[in-house]
C-alpha cells in the first residue's frame, strides 16, 4: 500500500442539480423531497408560460415566478407540460406571487422525479442562468483539455508516438517521479483530487498518477469500477496504458476494480480480443452447427455448450441432455466433421469457448 497516493473519484463530470445546492451564491434551496438531484443541468430557462415545453430540449432548470400557475390545477398542469421534456429541475421564485413554494407544485414535481428549488427574492433569475452558463463553460474547457491529453495517450498506447512526448506534461503535474500507475474507467471521468494527468480517449477516462513504491493502489484511489496498471517507469507508459484500459473494460463488466493480475485470467484474455478477432470463431465454429441444427433438427450447438460447461465430460453431458453417452460421442464426431475441432480436446474446447463468448457478445 502507498501512504501518500493521490485520490481520484470516478464520476461523470457534469453539472448536476445537487451541485446547485452547494453554490452558496447565488443561494438556491431544496424544498420537498430529495429526488432528481443527480439529473444533469445543461442550462437555465426562465419562463412564465403555463406550457413552456415547446422551448425545452431537456436538461433545463426551469425557472418560474408563478404568475401563470396561481392555483393547484395550473401548477399540476405546468409540471405535466415540462416533465415530458426531461428537465433537470424546477425553480420557483419566492416573493413574486407566493412567499413559499406551493405544495401542489412540489407534490406533482416530486411525483415526477423532479426536484423543486426555491429562489430567494433577492436572487434574480439572470444570476442563476449566468452561473450555470459559467459552470458549463468551465466543464467544456476541462473536457477539451482532457480530450487533448487523451489524444496523446491514444497515440502512445497504439505505438504511434513515444512516451517521451508526455514527459514535460508529467513532470509539470507529478514532478520527476521514478514510476507511475495508470488508471482508467469506461464511461466515466476520473476527476483529479490531487496530482494526476487526466485524459479521455475512446470512451475511457485515463489518469496517470505517481507510484512511490510497489503495491496495488488503495481503495481511496480505486473508487468505482476502475482498472489499473502495474507501476512502471514513465518511459514504459505505452504498455501501462494498454494494461489499464483492458483492466477497465474488465472492471466495467464486473462492477468492481480490476488490475494486472485480473488480466492473466480467462476473462482478461477474452476482454483483450477485439470483435474482429472474435468473429472468425463464431463464423467458423458455431455457424456450421447452427445451420446443421436448423436443417436436421439436431442439437449439436447445445451439445457443444454442455460439453464446455462440463469440461468435456461425456458422461455429465449425457446426463444433462438425458441421452446415452454414445449419442453424445456420435454428436461429437459430427461436430468435428463440420468444424474440424473436437470439444473433447482441450484446445478444441477452448476455441469453442471463445466462439460462445463471441456469440453471447453479439459480435457482428
Amino acid at each position: 500500500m502507498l501512504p501518500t497516493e493521490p485520490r481520484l473519484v470516478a464520476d461523470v463530470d457534469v453539472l448536476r442539480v445537487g451541485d446547485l445546492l452547494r453554490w452558496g451564491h447565488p443561494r438556491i434551496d431544496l424544498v420537498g423531497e430529495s429526488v432528481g438531484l443527480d439529473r444533469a443541468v445543461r442550462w437555465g430557462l426562465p419562463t412564465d408560460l403555463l406550457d413552456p415545453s415547446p422551448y425545452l430540449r431537456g436538461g433545463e432548470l426551469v425557472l418560474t415566478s408563478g404568475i401563470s400557475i396561481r392555483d393547484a390545477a395550473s401548477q399540476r398542469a405546468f409540471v405535466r407540460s415540462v416533465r415530458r421534456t426531461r428537465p433537470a429541475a424546477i425553480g420557483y421564485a419566492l416573493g413574486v406571487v407566493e412567499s413559499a413554494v406551493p405544495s401542489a407544485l412540489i407534490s406533482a414535481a416530486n411525483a415526477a422525479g423532479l426536484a423543486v428549488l426555491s429562489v430567494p427574492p433577492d436572487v434574480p433569475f439572470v444570476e442563476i442562468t449566468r452561473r450555470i452558463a459559467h459552470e458549463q463553460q468551465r466543464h467544456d474547457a476541462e473536457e477539451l483539455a482532457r480530450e487533448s491529453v487523451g489524444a496523446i495517450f491514444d497515440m502512445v498506447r497504439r505505438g504511434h508516438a513515444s512516451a517521451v512526448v508526455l514527459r514535460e506534461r508529467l513532470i509539470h503535474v507529478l514532478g520527476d517521479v521514478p514510476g507511475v500507475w495508470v488508471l482508467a474507467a469506461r464511461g466515466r471521468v476520473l476527476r483529479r483530487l490531487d496530482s494526476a494527468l487526466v485524459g479521455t480517449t475512446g470512451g475511457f477516462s485515463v489518469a496517470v498518477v505517481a507510484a512511490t513504491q510497489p503495491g496495488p493502489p488503495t481503495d481511496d484511489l480505486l473508487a468505482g469500477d476502475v482498472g489499473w496498471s502495474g507501476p512502471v517507469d514513465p518511459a514504459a507508459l505505452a504498455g501501462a496504458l494498454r494494461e489499464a484500459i483492458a483492466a477497465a473494460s474488465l472492471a466495467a463488466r464486473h462492477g468492481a476494480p480490476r488490475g494486472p493480475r485480473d488480466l492473466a485470467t480467462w476473462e482478461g484474455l477474452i476482454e483483450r480480443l477485439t470483435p474482429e478477432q472474435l468473429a472468425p470463431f463464431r463464423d467458423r465454429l458455431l455457424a456450421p452447427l447452427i445451420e446443421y441444427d436448423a436443417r436436421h433438427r439436431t442439437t449439436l450447438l447445445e451439445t457443444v455448450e454442455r460439453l464446455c460447461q462440463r469440461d468435456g465430460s461425456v458422461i455429465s453431458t449425457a446426463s444433462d441432455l438425458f441421452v446415452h453417452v454414445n449419442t453424445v460421442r456420435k454428436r461429437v464426431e459430427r461436430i468435428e466433421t463440420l468444424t474440424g475441432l473436437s470439444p473433447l480436446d482441450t484446445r478444441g474446447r477452448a476455441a469453442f469457448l471463445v466462439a460462445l463468448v463471441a456469440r453471447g457478445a453479439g459480435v457482428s
Side-chain angles (χ1 to χ4, degrees):
M1 297 293 185
L2 299 185
T4 58
E5 297 129 349
R7 296 176 60 215
L8 291 163
V9 173
D11 199 1
V12 178
D13 195 16
V14 297
L15 182 66
R16 300 193 178 277
V17 174
D19 296 330
L20 309 183
L21 304 176
R22 292 186 284 272
W23 274 355
H25 182 77
R27 184 168 62 86
I28 305 174
D29 299 315
L30 176 70
V31 292
E33 299 177 18
S34 298
V35 296
L37 299 184
D38 61 342
R39 291 195 176 207
V41 182
R42 296 175 59 196
W43 54 72
L45 179 73
T47 179
D48 279 317
L49 295 174
L50 177 60
D51 181 7
S53 60
Y55 306 98
L56 302 176
R57 295 296 179 268
E60 296 91 352
L61 171 61
V62 182
L63 298 161
T64 178
S65 66
I67 291 175
S68 61
I69 51 173
R70 293 175 180 265
D71 56 71
S74 60
Q75 290 156 14
R76 288 191 287 268
F78 176 77
V79 172
R80 286 196 300 270
S81 71
V82 302
R83 67 176 294 186
R84 295 193 298 267
T85 67
R86 300 187 61 80
I90 294 174
Y92 187 92
L94 304 179
V96 179
V97 175
E98 301 285 351
S99 59
V101 183
S103 59
L105 177 66
I106 297 172
S107 298
N110 288 169
L114 293 172
V116 179
L117 311 178
S118 64
V119 181
D122 60 343
V123 177
F125 284 164
V126 67
E127 192 170 348
I128 296 173
T129 57
R130 283 176 178 173
R131 178 67 185 270
I132 291 174
H134 173 75
E135 292 289 333
Q136 290 294 354
Q137 289 175 354
R138 181 177 64 82
H139 283 297
D140 290 345
E142 291 176 354
E143 184 177 356
L144 286 174
R146 289 193 299 267
E147 288 177 353
S148 175
V149 173
I152 301 175
F153 282 164
D154 194 55
M155 288 190 294
V156 172
R157 178 175 68 92
R158 296 177 183 277
H160 299 161
S162 167
V164 173
V165 299
L166 287 166
R167 178 172 172 76
E168 289 188 8
R169 289 177 184 259
L170 288 172
I171 291 176
H172 176 72
V173 175
L174 307 180
D176 193 7
V177 294
V180 295
W181 276 323
V182 178
L183 294 90
R186 174 187 280 174
R188 294 173 174 261
V189 173
L190 292 171
R191 292 191 289 189
R192 189 177 69 190
L193 299 183
D194 240 332
S195 297
L197 182 62
V198 181
T200 55
T201 175
F204 290 90
S205 178
V206 180
V208 181
V209 300
T212 56
Q213 70 180 61
T218 64
D219 292 340
D220 282 344
L221 195 59
L222 298 177
D225 46 357
V226 178
W228 77 94
S229 72
V232 297
D233 185 288
L237 201 56
L241 287 166
R242 290 191 291 269
E243 191 171 63
I245 288 177
S249 296
L250 197 59
R253 289 176 57 187
H254 291 268
R258 290 292 184 266
R261 288 187 178 180
D262 300 299
L263 294 178
T265 61
W266 166 257
E267 291 81 5
L269 171 63
I270 292 300
E271 191 60 48
R272 291 189 171 207
L273 296 178
T274 65
E276 292 77 15
Q277 292 169 329
L278 286 169
F281 287 88
R282 181 206 59 193
D283 297 341
R284 304 304 176 193
L285 298 183
L286 298 191
L289 303 183
I290 294 171
E291 183 181 352
Y292 189 91
D293 283 343
R295 285 203 321 265
H296 301 280
R297 297 184 180 181
T298 52
T299 55
L300 298 184
L301 179 60
E302 183 183 8
T303 302
V304 166
E305 291 174 335
R306 292 290 182 174
L307 284 167
C308 287
Q309 292 169 2
R310 292 298 189 175
D311 294 327
S313 171
V314 173
I315 296 175
S316 297
T317 298
S319 177
D320 288 346
L321 298 177
F322 302 102
V323 297
H324 195 274
V325 291
N326 287 338
T327 301
V328 175
R329 292 192 178 99
K330 289 180 180 179
R331 291 180 184 177
V332 169
E333 290 176 1
R334 176 60 60 184
I335 290 167
E336 188 170 6
T337 299
L338 292 170
T339 66
L341 293 176
S342 169
L344 301 185
D345 176 74
T346 301
R347 292 185 179 182
R349 193 160 60 254
F352 279 114
L353 282 167
V354 174
L356 291 170
V357 168
R359 178 170 178 254
V363 172
S364 58

